[in-house]
Amino acid sequence: MEASNAAAIGGGGGGGHLLASILFRIFGRGKRYYGEKEVVMKVVQWIRSACFVVREWAVVPGLRFLVLACLTMSVIMVLDKIFMATVSLFVRLARRSPSKVYRWEPFADQIDEEMQQESIDNYPMVLIQIPLFNERQVYHVAIRAACNFSWPSERLVIQVLDDSTDLVVRELVKEECEKWIRKGININIETRDNRKGYKAGALKDGLTCSYVQKCEYLAIFDADHQPAPDYLKQAIPFLIHNPKIGLVQARWKFANADECLMTRIQEMSMDYHFKVEQEAGSSTFAFFGFNGTAGIWRIIAVKEAGGWNERTTVEDMDLAVRASLKGWKFVYVGDIKVKSELPCTFKAYRYQQHRWACGPANLFRHMFLEIIKAKDVTIWKKFYLIYSFFFARKIVAHNVTFIFYCLVIPISIFFPQVEIPRWGVAYIPALITILSSVATPSSIHLALFWILFEQVMSFHRFKAVHVGLFEGERVNEWVVTEKFGSKNKPNNVKNGVDHKKPQSKLWERVNVTELLLGLFLLMCASYDLAYRVKNYFVYIFPQSLSFFAIGFGYVGKFIPSNV
């Protein structure tokens, strides 16, 4: 009798059978509870009806809306990538290098001793700014590189902006600078007792020093950057002979790209950024986001733009946008390469990506109206800044990667009535992968790992974008990216610790959020495999494994906190 009643209440659904069975166990003992059975039946029927209404009238339409929104964002993203790839390809095929588009003349060599002073006077005064903050492993790298420039010492001012709170590091920086001072290099140390404005505040304060006023150009290098001795001679001529150029940006090359799989993957993303994004922006609208280092500014352009501003954590991009709105042109020169270091730990990379995703979104919030109201640029450049540079690359790209591929597609498995076209699930992601990985041909065989890693990172970038857009709690968080100078010491050994081997216990490396997302994706893939709903399990299983791998800390290197 109870079984037949349970079947009647269940209405044929597995969930109904289970719910009815539980309720009958609670209320169905003895004839005195017979009246309660009728109530239970009504309650179960009401719950089933309510669930059906919510599913059909709220969940399914909401999911369909998300699918449509994500497909639209995917099209926006892929069209922007096709545009940039086309421009970059044209530049290469037409051999339109910056030295052919803009006037560029090398510095004349000294002919004899009589002409020596005259030759030196032809060199403009250049200020080198090197901002530092507790970078024990690499504090000396940029200082030594700047002191070895093949540039007359009389025409060069090096300024080390040391905000370090570690007194040992401050002393090391001081000793390094004094060593070069004794060799006749014009090097100045500027320290602060606070970190107001972080890097932007240090750069801003540095420009107020009296000895800076005689300088025409400003070159900036982060601590780990190693420009070649002829860097200034290669880049400065663009500024000398083209008065409307305000910034010359060099390309980054990575000394530790082969350190681990995570650095190889980062190299792919960064090569795409420089070889495609920067080059396309430079070749079309003479604009791109300044990278904060390995670039040379015309100081008058910095001043006209309003100087450094610490309102966001991307002071470099902020200055670039404001200078561009004043009519200044930017040139990316890919032939000039500056060595630097990629973050080799997941923690360092995660903090870096938070800043790089949150800052631009927050800057977009601040500058949207400024861009629209700008009078010194064309409407097409405004459109490029708002739509392509900010919306498509800084907002859409981070949202669609997480929402569509990590949430909507897996959840759609439980709703067969929600259909996603094959071109949205397969063709567009494949095209994006091809366009993004060709910039590093030597690592194209790692494209699958790149996809999986980028999807895990999309969660952190998604959060950061919304923190920036809505000015959340971490909007102004600034954590300096840890650098270890790993390629500067043999066998990757520092302080007696081999960084290739994890030196910590498992729970010290665990990332709980990644594990939970990995579990969610594993459930979706398992359900799809069991019931053959949409066959998305083929790529959701590897996706879940990548979340688990990073969740358990098996990515990059792990540097114990006591090292």
Side-chain angles (χ1 to χ4, degrees):
M1 179 67 177
E2 287 189 5
S4 61
N5 285 337
I9 293 174
H17 282 298
L18 179 61
L19 181 58
S21 176
I22 293 172
L23 292 173
F24 271 115
R25 286 179 182 275
I26 298 173
F27 298 107
R29 294 185 178 181
K31 293 182 179 180
R32 57 183 178 151
Y33 293 106
Y34 183 79
E36 281 83 346
K37 291 181 182 179
E38 298 295 333
V39 174
V40 170
M41 291 172 62
K42 295 291 185 182
V43 170
V44 171
Q45 289 174 354
W46 181 85
I47 292 174
R48 285 176 54 81
S49 299
C51 290
F52 177 82
V53 170
V54 170
R55 183 186 66 188
E56 296 300 322
W57 293 93
V59 178
V60 171
L63 199 56
R64 284 174 175 161
F65 171 79
L66 283 176
V67 169
L68 179 61
C70 289
L71 290 175
T72 303
M73 288 191 291
S74 296
V75 171
I76 290 173
M77 183 177 173
V78 77
L79 288 178
D80 187 59
K81 285 186 175 289
I82 290 173
F83 162 74
M84 291 187 294
T86 302
V87 172
S88 181
L89 181 62
F90 170 76
V91 169
R92 282 170 170 73
L93 294 178
R95 297 182 178 179
R96 290 179 59 82
S97 63
S99 59
K100 293 184 178 179
V101 175
Y102 298 96
R103 185 183 172 192
W104 186 93
E105 295 178 6
F107 286 94
D109 294 329
Q110 297 177 10
I111 299 175
D112 52 42
E113 293 184 2
E114 294 180 1
M115 295 185 63
Q116 184 175 359
Q117 188 58 48
E118 181 181 350
S119 178
I120 289 175
D121 291 340
N122 290 331
Y123 287 79
M125 288 292 297
V126 179
L127 171 67
I128 309 293
Q129 285 188 318
I130 303 174
L132 302 174
F133 180 73
N134 293 342
E135 294 171 281
R136 183 189 294 260
Q137 301 288 355
V138 295
Y139 70 90
H140 58 284
V141 174
I143 295 174
R144 293 179 184 178
C147 292
N148 283 306
F149 278 141
S150 56
W151 196 264
S153 58
E154 301 95 325
R155 313 298 290 173
L156 190 65
V157 178
I158 299 175
Q159 186 182 66
V160 177
L161 305 167
D162 187 15
D163 278 0
S164 298
T165 54
D166 186 331
L167 298 181
V168 174
V169 175
R170 279 205 175 189
E171 189 61 32
L172 291 171
V173 172
K174 182 180 178 182
E175 290 176 2
E176 181 70 22
C177 293
E178 288 176 347
K179 180 180 72 176
W180 290 102
I181 291 173
R182 289 192 294 269
K183 295 181 180 180
I185 302 297
N186 185 3
I187 187 168
N188 303 270
I189 309 174
E190 301 294 338
T191 59
R192 302 191 300 170
D193 57 4
N194 63 78
R195 289 204 72 208
K196 182 181 178 182
Y198 302 108
K199 181 179 175 180
L203 295 171
K204 184 177 182 179
D205 288 352
L207 288 178
T208 62
C209 296
S210 58
Y211 57 83
V212 168
Q213 308 311 313
K214 58 186 177 182
C215 297
E216 298 176 62
Y217 304 112
L218 162 65
I220 303 171
F221 300 100
D222 285 346
D224 61 309
H225 279 63
Q226 307 172 59
D230 66 345
Y231 171 86
L232 295 178
K233 287 187 174 181
Q234 292 293 321
I236 292 289
F238 287 104
L239 295 161
I240 292 176
H241 301 296
N242 303 276
K244 288 306 295 177
I245 292 179
L247 167 68
V248 176
Q249 174 70 58
R251 177 184 161 193
W252 298 0
K253 287 293 290 182
F254 307 105
N256 67 331
D258 296 330
E259 194 161 0
C260 60
L261 180 59
M262 192 181 80
T263 53
R264 290 286 299 274
I265 291 171
Q266 288 180 66
E267 182 188 34
M268 294 173 68
S269 298
M270 294 304 296
D271 280 352
Y272 175 80
H273 169 69
F274 282 103
K275 293 182 179 180
V276 180
E277 290 182 342
Q278 298 282 76
E279 190 166 69
S282 175
S283 302
T284 51
F285 293 94
F287 170 81
F288 48 83
F290 173 46
N291 293 292
T293 178
I296 304 181
W297 280 94
R298 190 186 300 272
I299 291 182
I300 188 64
V302 175
K303 291 180 178 179
E304 281 190 12
W308 298 102
N309 194 317
E310 58 265 25
R311 59 183 170 181
T312 71
T313 56
V314 284
E315 76 295 325
D316 43 13
M317 186 182 294
D318 190 339
L319 177 61
V321 174
R322 286 184 283 113
S324 180
L325 294 179
K326 291 294 183 181
W328 290 100
K329 294 182 178 181
F330 303 163
V331 177
Y332 164 71
V333 188
D335 291 336
I336 304 176
K337 302 178 180 66
V338 177
K339 288 183 180 180
S340 61
E341 181 182 332
L342 291 164
C344 63
T345 67
F346 181 68
K347 179 182 177 181
Y349 185 62
R350 188 178 61 197
Y351 278 124
Q352 181 199 71
Q353 293 303 297
H354 172 85
R355 189 171 75 249
W356 287 6
C358 176
N362 190 233
L363 181 62
F364 184 48
R365 173 192 173 107
H366 285 287
M367 295 214 64
F368 179 76
L369 291 179
E370 289 184 46
I371 295 172
I372 291 177
K373 295 177 181 178
K375 298 179 180 179
D376 296 327
V377 293
T378 65
I379 189 172
W380 292 111
K381 190 165 187 177
K382 293 181 184 180
F383 176 79
Y384 174 77
L385 283 168
I386 292 174
Y387 175 79
S388 182
F389 182 75
F390 277 114
F391 183 66
R393 300 180 210 171
K394 315 302 182 185
I395 309 297
V396 166
H398 299 321
N399 275 281
V400 72
T401 307
F402 178 68
I403 296 175
F404 193 36
Y405 301 112
C406 298
L407 292 181
V408 172
I409 291 177
I411 291 174
S412 71
I413 290 171
F414 300 104
F415 300 90
Q417 60 269 55
V418 176
E419 297 182 2
I420 304 176
R422 183 175 296 179
W423 58 266
V425 177
Y427 300 154
I428 282 185
L431 183 56
I432 290 173
T433 302
I434 292 171
L435 293 174
S436 301
S437 59
V438 293
T440 313
S442 61
S443 297
I444 201 165
H445 60 288
L446 300 175
L448 177 60
F449 295 101
W450 176 80
I451 294 170
L452 296 174
F453 183 74
E454 285 295 298
Q455 288 189 349
V456 177
M457 289 307 304
S458 70
F459 165 68
H460 298 284
R461 297 185 183 116
F462 169 79
K463 287 195 306 178
V465 164
H466 289 273
V467 168
L469 283 175
F470 300 104
E471 296 200 327
E473 184 178 351
R474 296 177 61 195
V475 67
N476 289 318
E477 179 184 76
W478 183 289
V479 178
V480 174
T481 305
E482 271 188 302
K483 306 173 187 76
F484 300 99
S486 51
K487 285 296 178 181
N488 298 323
K489 295 187 179 182
N491 302 321
N492 292 323
V493 176
K494 285 172 280 298
N495 299 328
V497 177
D498 182 357
H499 291 170
K500 287 189 175 181
K501 299 178 181 179
Q503 302 290 321
S504 65
K505 296 177 181 179
L506 176 62
W507 56 83
E508 293 179 342
R509 305 195 308 267
V510 165
N511 300 296
V512 176
T513 307
E514 282 81 355
L515 291 178
L516 293 176
L517 286 169
L519 182 61
F520 160 73
L521 291 169
L522 180 62
M523 292 171 57
C524 295
S526 300
Y527 183 88
D528 192 35
L529 177 62
Y531 295 99
R532 296 285 177 171
V533 182
K534 297 184 178 181
N535 293 323
Y536 292 161
F537 67 88
V538 174
Y539 69 85
I540 296 181
F541 268 130
Q543 192 179 17
S544 67
L545 292 177
S546 65
F547 273 92
F548 281 127
I550 293 178
F552 284 115
Y554 290 105
V555 62
K557 296 186 175 183
F558 189 88
I559 312 298
S561 58
N562 61 346
V563 173

